[in-house]
Amino acid sequence: MEEERNCFNCGYYNRHYIKLNNGRFHSTAYGHCGCGEMNLRISQRIVDKMLQCDKWMPGEVSVQKRGKRILEIITDMELHLRDIAMFLADDSDLRQKIKNLSE
């Protein structure tokens, strides 16, 4: 039996969440399409009415792509943080100012 293709199980669908008073997030009945290949008005009409579109892809594929992109971003951030650490290590005046602030 083939899986029903709708926005809720599409890899491009980004569900909206609200933050509760206890700091936890709760999913809402709303969301938007993150495919980026159609304009906002058409995308919103498809999502609101749960129409089928030709951009649908399995959610697992999206999770894999998102995980790969997050890893790339973290690796890039690590390189920038190393540069900052080297800069800070070379700047003795700045180190002293930071030390004075923490006292």
Side-chain angles (χ1 to χ4, degrees):
M1 182 175 185
E2 188 174 317
E3 179 180 25
E4 180 183 353
R5 294 181 175 201
N6 61 47
C7 295
F8 287 133
N9 63 17
C10 177
Y12 288 118
Y13 183 70
N14 294 302
R15 182 176 299 280
H16 293 177
Y17 292 83
I18 57 171
K19 188 173 182 181
L20 302 175
N21 289 337
N22 64 6
R24 292 184 165 204
F25 289 91
H26 179 73
S27 63
T28 69
Y30 302 98
H32 67 276
C33 178
C35 117
E37 294 184 21
M38 61 181 100
N39 71 43
L40 184 60
R41 193 179 92 220
I42 293 171
S43 168
Q44 199 59 51
R45 185 181 56 137
I46 290 171
V47 171
D48 288 347
K49 295 183 178 185
M50 284 299 167
L51 303 173
Q52 290 187 4
C53 79
D54 60 346
K55 307 299 181 198
W56 187 91
M57 74 168 176
E60 301 82 37
V61 174
S62 175
V63 170
Q64 292 169 353
K65 285 182 179 181
R66 191 175 298 153
K68 183 179 177 185
R69 181 68 183 130
I70 289 170
L71 184 59
E72 291 170 356
I73 290 169
I74 290 172
T75 302
D76 192 44
M77 288 172 63
E78 179 186 20
L79 294 174
H80 289 293
L81 288 172
R82 284 184 186 179
D83 290 344
I84 292 168
M86 286 182 3
F87 172 78
L88 293 174
D90 291 343
D91 193 334
S92 60
D93 290 338
L94 186 58
R95 276 200 318 264
Q96 187 60 42
K97 290 176 185 175
I98 293 170
K99 183 178 178 183
N100 292 341
L101 286 175
S102 63
E103 293 175 347

